[in-house]
Amino acid sequence: MRTRIVRAGAVALLALVMAACGGPDLPEDATGAEIYVQMCARCHGSDLRGGTGVALVGEGARSIDKPESYLVQSIYAGIGRMPAFRRTLSDDQILRVARYIMRQQGR
């Protein structure tokens, strides 16, 4: 019984995190910036400097020296408390947002 309650709580928490970090109302051809604003800014900040999510630019940005593949995989599969977006975004949208983040990082 306790296991079911814990699982139900975990599912509810994941749903809240997903809702807090954006929604799927994006056109397939959305730019990386548009995808970031819709899906990432609530957690990582409109300036990419963090919030409930980690900073993506500036001091303390752990991903700033990581390859593009790291960002793509992190968005696709999730990392730490960040949920996976493989069911929410297409592979091309994930690549566009990863490249947008890299441009904001100055690379």
Side-chain angles (χ1 to χ4, degrees):
M1 177 77 163
R2 186 175 179 344
T3 303
R4 278 190 236 152
I5 293 170
V6 170
R7 273 195 207 132
V11 170
L13 179 60
L14 180 59
L16 285 172
V17 168
M18 291 293 287
C21 290
D25 297 333
L26 283 166
E28 180 59 34
D29 64 345
T31 66
E34 291 168 333
I35 297 165
Y36 181 86
V37 167
Q38 180 79 18
M39 305 300 293
C40 313
R42 287 187 191 161
C43 295
H44 293 284
S46 59
D47 60 358
L48 289 83
R49 295 196 179 276
T52 57
V54 300
L56 299 170
V57 299
E59 193 172 323
R62 293 178 280 175
S63 67
I64 208 152
D65 60 347
K66 304 282 188 198
E68 179 180 281
S69 60
Y70 173 84
L71 288 171
V72 168
Q73 183 62 26
S74 297
I75 298 164
Y76 179 84
I79 187 168
R81 295 181 305 163
M82 185 177 125
F85 286 91
R86 67 179 161 262
R87 292 188 176 102
T88 309
L89 299 173
S90 70
D91 291 349
D92 193 50
Q93 287 173 319
I94 290 172
L95 183 59
R96 275 183 261 149
V97 75
R99 288 181 175 168
Y100 167 75
I101 293 166
M102 291 177 66
R103 281 192 306 275
Q104 300 311 301
Q105 292 174 335
R107 10 189 217 144

